[in-house]
Amino acid sequence: MGGPGTDPGQFNIPHNIATDSEGLVYVADRENSRVQIFDGEGRYLAQWNNLHRPCGLHIDRAAGLAYVGELPSHLPVNEKVPNIGARVSVLTMTGDLVDRVGGPFWGEKPGEFVAPHGCVVDSRRDLYVAE
């Protein structure tokens, strides 16, 4: 794992970290809009893309799912574009999208998020999100 940058193994505001039962390490690389995956020795293995400013991160290896909290846009040029943040994306362990939770824009109503910074799933597979 390395210093700042956009190449594999480099980071631009690593915002969260999680591990799984197989010893893999997942890093929410927020401003590179990806989650990077490393082995227990720190060797780069893969990355999940098409995420918007990921910050919350929970790995449920038993279910084969990852939960990624994503922030809304921070740029005026796309702050009114729907479906690019303020949500939780549910991915397979290969990074394929299964579902997304949250409204098309950030908000404070039920089912909406402002800044989902933490997420966890309990033994009943209920999702909890901290903002």
Side-chain angles (χ1 to χ4, degrees):
M1 292 190 280
T6 59
D7 290 335
Q10 295 179 330
F11 304 101
N12 187 2
I13 307 184
H15 209 69
N16 208 325
I17 189 167
T19 59
D20 69 14
S21 60
E22 294 184 11
L24 299 180
V25 179
Y26 302 79
V27 180
D29 188 9
R30 192 180 84 186
E31 296 308 312
N32 281 329
S33 295
R34 65 187 178 190
V35 170
Q36 295 194 71
I37 305 161
F38 301 88
D39 68 14
E41 301 298 318
R43 288 183 290 267
Y44 172 85
L45 299 175
Q47 65 186 21
W48 300 332
N49 298 305
N50 300 319
L51 300 165
H52 194 269
R53 304 180 71 215
C55 53
L57 192 55
H58 176 76
I59 306 300
D60 185 351
R61 179 57 91 166
L65 297 174
Y67 299 81
V68 182
E70 299 175 75
L71 296 179
S73 177
H74 63 299
L75 301 172
V77 69
N78 62 356
E79 69 184 349
K80 296 189 184 336
V81 175
N83 302 314
I84 61 169
R87 62 190 178 194
V88 175
S89 289
V90 184
L91 309 173
T92 66
M93 299 312 297
T94 57
D96 295 318
L97 182 66
V98 174
D99 199 4
R100 287 203 162 115
V101 181
F105 294 99
W106 70 271
E108 297 180 3
K109 296 177 186 146
E112 296 177 337
F113 300 109
V114 174
H117 268 67
C119 46
V120 68
V121 175
D122 68 14
S123 62
R124 295 180 314 225
R125 305 250 192 280
D126 292 329
L127 173 65
Y128 297 85
V129 180
E131 297 199 78

